[in-house]
């Protein structure tokens, strides 16, 4: 099969941009509207996107109740939302975020296996370690775990979840009415995991789906994050401002994957892109400036404060002056470094910085025509910087419609993007292999050796 661009749609109901909810095209209650999310999912499927992606917060915000935008203070738990809207689609995948730091592996395995069955094999798990003291204080801790500890726990957490997903072999359920045998007990297995962070017996009380188990997604960019992603992830979301840094990340991940004995073609790297699309450059620029004009100063400052982990309040600084040195924090290290890079390379003031990252929080923002946006995606795709992209429309539904109606046809015209879905499951559409059940594989190996 000819290599094609893979596309995720990052569609929080309240919009990506911190002022999106104030835009006249955006429903002010979109974050908590089931009907609006259903409409977004159907639009993404009309555009032949691989998956609908949602991040998740386990606290209201970093260092304050606003987190740089009122519409982001409340929203649905992603797996619950996706279970509700998946039946209204037939091909679109659903990638939900869940924390390895504040959830137990059994709970994670069970809810994602359930979403996978409900959706007919279209679920994905975005593995995150979760930062912030405010989140820790919602889970019986005063401070967050150290960065290295979070990633050690995450690696073990993923290992246990994958083991639990293999509890039932694919052909375990006979459901033989005549004999009264519902399943073959020899094909049900306990995990019996005993490790540094978890002791889990199993088995999981949910079976595998038609795609085996959910696609594993990860977004860490630190050295620990890259290691976890290369060892465990099948899709990697990442943030870059330049082709060269995206290439370095892409090549490093693929090389690390080879080091783990994995096929690098089975790991898809998908940088985030926030597009302002216009039929002309002037139209695209007008859309950007209109949304930027809706940012309240306190929301912009609150957004930047979130990247300091609550250790620095920028409200006392001259907003038209330079970004001060940011204190080191145990959370969001790679994203904080990226924000620093954006400020320094562009000589941005504090105000200009929050205006620029208001849509994408460090992901690539592009203001242009369908042709210029397709040029950028094509360049990265064809030059070892991306296997696809996670699209972050700045406000909804209009910016998603713009991408579907204007950019997708241009990518199709160039032969870079599908004109129909390849399969029914998320794995099939992403071109990822079916994960063979470990117990079935061991059984087959033993039989072959006899």
């Amino acid at each position: 099969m000819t290599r094609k661009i893979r596309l995720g749609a990052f569609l929080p109901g309240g919009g990506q941009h911190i002022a999106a909810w104030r835009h006249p095209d955006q429903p002010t209650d979109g974050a908590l509207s089931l009907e609006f999310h259903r409409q977004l999912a159907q639009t993404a499927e009309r555009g032949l996107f691989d998956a609908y992606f949602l991040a998740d917060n386990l606290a209201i915000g970093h260092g304050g109740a606003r987190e740089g935008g009122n519409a982001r203070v409340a929203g649905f738990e992603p797996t619950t939302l996706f279970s509700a809207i998946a039946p209204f689609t037939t091909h679109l995948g659903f990638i939900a975020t869940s924390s390895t730091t504040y959830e137990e592996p059994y709970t994670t395995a069970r809810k994602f296996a359930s979403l996978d069955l409900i959706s007919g094999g279209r679920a994905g798990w975005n593995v995150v370690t979760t930062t912030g003291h405010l989140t820790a204080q919602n889970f019986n801790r005063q401070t967050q775990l150290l960065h290295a500890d979070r990633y050690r726990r995450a690696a073990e957490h993923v290992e246990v979840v994958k083991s639990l997903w293999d509890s039932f072999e694919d052909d375990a359920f006979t459901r033989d009415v005549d004999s009264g045998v519902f399943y073959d007990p020899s094909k049900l297995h306990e995990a019996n995991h005993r490790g540094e962070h978890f002791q889990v017996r199993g088995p999981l009380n949910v079976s595998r789906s038609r795609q085996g188990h959910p696609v594993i997604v990860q977004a860490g960019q630190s050295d620990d994050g890259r290691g976890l992603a290369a060892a465990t992830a099948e899709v990697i979301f990442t943030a870059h401002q330049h082709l060269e840094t995206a290439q370095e990340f892409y090549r490093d991940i693929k090389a690390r994957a080879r080091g783990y004995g994995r096929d690098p073609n089975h790991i898809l790297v998908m940088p985030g892109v926030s597009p302002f699309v216009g039929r002309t450059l002037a139209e695209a620029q007008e859309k950007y400036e209109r949304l930027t004009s809706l940012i309240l100063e306190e929301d912009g400052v609150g957004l930047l404060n979130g990247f300091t982990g609550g250790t620095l309040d920028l409200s006392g600084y001259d907003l038209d002056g330079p970004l001060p040195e940011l204190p080191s924090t145990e959370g969001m290290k790679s994203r904080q470094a990226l924000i620093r890079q954006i400020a320094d390379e562009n000589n941005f003031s504090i105000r200009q910085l929050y205006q620029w990252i208001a849509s994408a929080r460090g992901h690539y923002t592009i203001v242009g025509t369908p042709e210029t946006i397709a040029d950028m995606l094509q360049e990265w795709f064809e030059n070892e910087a991306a296997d696809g992209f996670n699209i972050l429309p700045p406000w909804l539904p209009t910016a998603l419609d713009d991408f579907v109606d204007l950019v997708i046809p241009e990518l199709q015209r160039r032969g870079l993007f599908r004109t129909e879905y390849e399969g029914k499951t998320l794995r099939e559409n992403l071109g990822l292999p079916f994960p063979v059940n470990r117990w079935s594989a061991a059984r087959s190996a033993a039989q072959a050796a006899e």
Side-chain angles (χ1 to χ4, degrees):
M1 185 176 64
T2 303
R3 183 169 175 259
K4 301 287 186 183
I5 289 176
R6 307 303 178 186
L7 290 178
F10 188 175
L11 307 172
Q16 283 290 348
H17 195 282
I18 61 174
W21 72 277
R22 302 184 67 204
H23 194 286
D25 293 349
Q26 170 99 30
T28 56
D29 66 345
L32 293 170
S33 169
L34 178 62
E35 172 61 19
F36 186 52
H37 284 88
R38 180 187 67 79
Q39 293 172 11
L40 295 176
Q42 291 177 327
T43 300
E45 186 162 81
R46 176 170 65 85
L48 303 178
F49 275 84
D50 288 276
Y52 187 155
F53 167 74
L54 278 179
D56 193 27
N57 294 316
L58 299 177
I60 281 185
H62 298 285
R66 303 188 70 165
E67 200 196 3
N70 290 347
R72 302 180 70 85
V73 301
F76 294 117
E77 189 281 314
T79 57
T80 306
L81 171 65
F82 286 158
S83 294
I85 63 177
F88 294 99
T89 60
T90 56
H91 292 82
L92 183 71
F94 294 93
I95 300 174
T97 297
S98 185
S99 173
T100 59
T101 303
Y102 298 111
E103 288 204 32
E104 292 294 316
Y106 197 94
T107 305
T108 300
R110 190 167 188 253
K111 71 180 183 180
F112 278 92
S114 296
L115 175 60
D116 210 22
L117 288 173
I118 289 168
S119 64
R122 292 184 283 141
W125 170 31
N126 180 42
V127 179
V128 298
T129 61
T130 309
T131 64
H133 298 319
L134 289 178
T135 301
Q137 290 159 18
N138 287 337
F139 291 88
N140 204 37
R141 294 183 57 88
Q142 285 303 304
T143 59
Q144 64 183 341
L145 292 174
L146 295 177
H147 186 272
D149 292 340
R150 292 201 308 273
Y151 276 94
R152 282 200 306 274
R153 178 184 166 100
E156 186 179 342
H157 192 289
V158 174
E159 176 187 348
V160 179
V161 168
K162 291 176 68 176
S163 177
L164 289 168
W165 280 339
D166 278 349
S167 294
F168 286 100
E169 294 183 45
D170 294 292
D171 59 350
F173 290 90
T174 57
R175 299 184 176 93
D176 189 326
V177 175
D178 293 334
S179 69
V181 176
F182 189 76
Y183 77 98
D184 182 345
S186 71
K187 295 185 178 181
L188 175 62
H189 307 276
E190 296 178 353
N192 288 322
H193 176 89
R194 299 182 68 85
E196 178 185 0
H197 299 94
F198 304 108
Q199 297 183 27
V200 181
R201 178 183 174 184
L204 185 67
N205 59 349
V206 184
S207 65
R208 280 162 55 104
S209 77
R210 62 189 295 176
Q211 71 167 351
H213 64 64
V215 173
I216 297 177
V217 182
Q218 214 264 332
Q221 294 198 171
S222 65
D223 189 67
D224 287 335
R226 292 184 186 205
L228 177 64
T232 64
E234 297 169 284
V235 175
I236 302 173
F237 293 150
T238 181
H240 296 280
Q241 294 294 308
H242 303 290
L243 173 65
E244 294 75 18
T245 62
Q247 288 173 321
E248 183 279 326
F249 180 88
Y250 184 96
R251 292 163 181 164
D252 181 52
I253 287 292
K254 302 285 184 170
R256 290 180 188 232
R258 289 188 192 93
Y260 284 111
R262 301 184 64 195
D263 184 340
N265 293 319
H266 296 163
I267 305 172
L268 305 178
V269 178
M270 299 175 63
V273 177
S274 182
F276 288 82
V277 187
R279 289 175 174 82
T280 65
L281 180 57
E283 180 186 338
Q285 190 65 37
E286 187 278 330
K287 290 178 178 180
Y288 172 78
E289 291 173 356
R290 182 178 190 186
L291 199 48
T292 298
S293 71
L294 299 176
I295 303 173
L296 301 178
E297 283 188 359
E298 56 266 38
D299 282 343
V301 171
L303 173 63
L304 292 180
N305 283 345
F307 291 104
T308 73
T311 59
L312 178 65
D313 183 0
L314 294 169
S315 60
Y317 289 80
D318 177 7
L319 299 188
D320 295 310
L323 182 71
E325 195 65 33
L326 299 179
S328 177
T329 175
E330 275 296 319
M332 304 178 74
K333 288 184 174 182
S334 57
R335 190 56 58 88
Q336 186 183 90
L338 186 58
I339 297 302
R340 176 85 261 171
Q341 173 193 327
I342 294 171
D344 292 346
E345 287 184 349
N346 296 282
N347 197 29
F348 279 159
S349 66
I350 294 173
R351 189 188 310 278
Q352 290 170 320
L353 179 60
Y354 73 59
Q355 288 174 342
W356 185 246
I357 69 168
S359 288
R361 292 159 180 79
H363 291 284
Y364 193 97
T365 297
I366 183 168
V367 181
T369 64
E371 293 77 17
T372 59
I373 292 171
D375 286 344
M376 174 262 165
L377 301 182
Q378 182 171 3
E379 182 182 23
W380 286 37
F381 177 67
E382 294 181 344
N383 290 279
E384 294 189 322
D387 296 304
F389 302 89
N390 203 20
I391 302 302
L392 295 75
W395 79 103
L396 298 166
T398 310
L400 175 61
D401 288 329
D402 286 345
F403 194 89
V404 168
D405 295 336
L406 300 174
V407 180
I408 292 290
E410 179 62 22
L411 293 174
Q412 291 170 329
R413 186 186 67 79
R414 301 181 188 197
L416 294 169
F417 189 64
R418 65 167 62 93
T419 55
E420 61 181 2
Y421 283 106
E422 294 83 2
K424 287 285 190 179
T425 70
L426 179 56
R427 288 184 180 280
E428 289 171 331
N429 291 323
L430 289 172
L432 294 172
F434 182 88
V436 177
N437 183 287
R438 68 190 66 192
W439 300 100
S440 299
R443 188 192 307 273
S444 297
Q447 291 172 346
E450 292 177 354

